[in-house]
Amino acid sequence: MNATDLFHQMLRRKIAPALRDAGFTGTGLEYRLRECAPDHALVGFQRSAGDGDGVERCRFTVNLRAVPHEDHEALRRRRPALGSRISANRVGPVGWHTRIGRLLGHPHDHWWTITDERSADRAADDVLALVLRHGVPALWAGLVDLAPEHGPALDPVPDCLDPHCFRIGGGRPGAGAPAPEELEDAVVVEVGERRSSYVITFLDESWDRETRLHIDASWRLEQPAFGWVRVGYGSEGDVRTAPSAGCSLPADPLALLGELTLCHVDSAQAAPDGSLLLAFEQGTPRESGLTVAGTPHALAPDRAWHFEEWTEVR
């Protein structure tokens, strides 16, 4: 199965069902947010197939378009040949249109690259998270002229430097599980919770490879300007948090870790007692913004933790 076939399979098996569960109708490359009717809130997938360096690939991005019903009908009265169908993948004279990358904390023309099933699965997960978290609110806002400013729609460009873009070639995986010091200058690109274990995904941009840290015990996020919050599990398996006096950090464990997203690791070291200390340089997270000039972020698990080995990003 070639990359273009994998792209269409990804839409059919993962993207379409998830969007329908979220209230969209449609199939293939075009989807419509049902709750906005009779207004038009559209999501479209635009692809660019090709190959390079001998690797067959399919690159794609996501377009968003919001058009109030009255505006479209007024345009049709002036141009009867226009028809009733609106496409998210075409820029029209009315309404609001942008690409998903323009809604990120660091706006850019964001494309994904598919070369195999693994890259297709990762792209699908990333796309769904961005569309549901950023795209849907922007579509609603676009219908009442409150959508964020956006730049012009660009033609396909080389893969950007954003950690979530998928790049081909140029990297070589390391052997075995990484030592903590290998994380220095890596980027935190994802956080999550899996079976009572917090997982942090790090990206080594120099070699285009990633690894995951699993924290299986209580841990603490520290920020001198905001205090600290200790996170652990209670006797019933419930998550417990204990903040310091006057702490202004969020109490939710994933929100705490999420503060680190897209921050670079300044240093990482393992202590003799088996704990791990990660210090993060000042960064600009994609979502919230825990940034304090000249003050590092520090994450300190008390004991059990382990890394997966480095794997090449495709």
Side-chain angles (χ1 to χ4, degrees), residues 7 21 31 61 66-67 101 104 111 123 136 147 149 161 179 204 211 257 260 283 296 301 313-314:
F7 167 71
D21 288 344
Y31 299 86
T61 190
V67 182
L104 303 182
W111 289 72
V136 171
E149 294 291 330
L161 298 179
D204 176 358
T211 189
L257 289 173
L260 304 177
V313 176
R314 282 289 186 181

Side-chain angles (χ1 to χ4, degrees), residues 196-208:
S196 299
S197 176
Y198 290 99
V199 179
I200 309 177
T201 302
F202 298 87
L203 174 72
D204 176 358
E205 295 179 292
S206 300
W207 295 108
D208 205 22

Side-chain angles (χ1 to χ4, degrees), residues 27-86:
T27 187
L29 302 177
E30 297 273 351
Y31 299 86
R32 178 183 299 267
L33 189 56
R34 185 170 47 244
E35 192 175 354
C36 290
D39 295 327
H40 309 275
L42 310 171
V43 173
F45 292 81
Q46 178 184 341
R47 72 178 179 87
S48 174
D51 59 80
D53 302 325
V55 179
E56 195 272 336
R57 65 190 67 178
C58 178
R59 302 181 67 245
F60 74 96
T61 190
V62 179
N63 296 312
L64 304 168
R65 189 175 178 190
V67 182
H69 176 71
E70 294 81 0
D71 293 353
H72 182 61
E73 289 303 304
L75 180 64
R76 288 182 62 195
R77 286 192 291 271
R78 298 194 303 269
R79 298 168 55 183
L82 185 64
S84 60
R85 186 175 182 274
I86 302 179

Side-chain angles (χ1 to χ4, degrees), residues 184-202:
E184 294 181 11
D185 298 322
V187 180
V188 179
V189 295
E190 182 183 14
V191 297
E193 182 181 1
R194 302 177 187 175
R195 296 182 181 178
S196 299
S197 176
Y198 290 99
V199 179
I200 309 177
T201 302
F202 298 87

Side-chain angles (χ1 to χ4, degrees), residues 141 183 188 247:
L183 294 174
V188 179
C247 175

Side-chain angles (χ1 to χ4, degrees), residues 108-166:
H108 65 286
D109 194 28
H110 190 90
W111 289 72
W112 290 265
T113 299
I114 290 178
T115 57
D116 53 23
E117 291 189 8
R118 181 173 181 267
S119 61
D121 288 342
R122 292 192 56 187
D125 292 340
D126 199 25
V127 164
L128 289 170
L130 293 179
V131 168
L132 298 180
R133 184 178 301 170
H134 300 283
V136 171
L139 287 171
W140 279 104
L143 293 173
V144 292
D145 296 326
L146 295 176
E149 294 291 330
H150 61 86
L154 304 177
D155 291 330
V157 297
D159 286 336
C160 70
L161 298 179
D162 186 281
H164 287 268
C165 285
F166 297 101

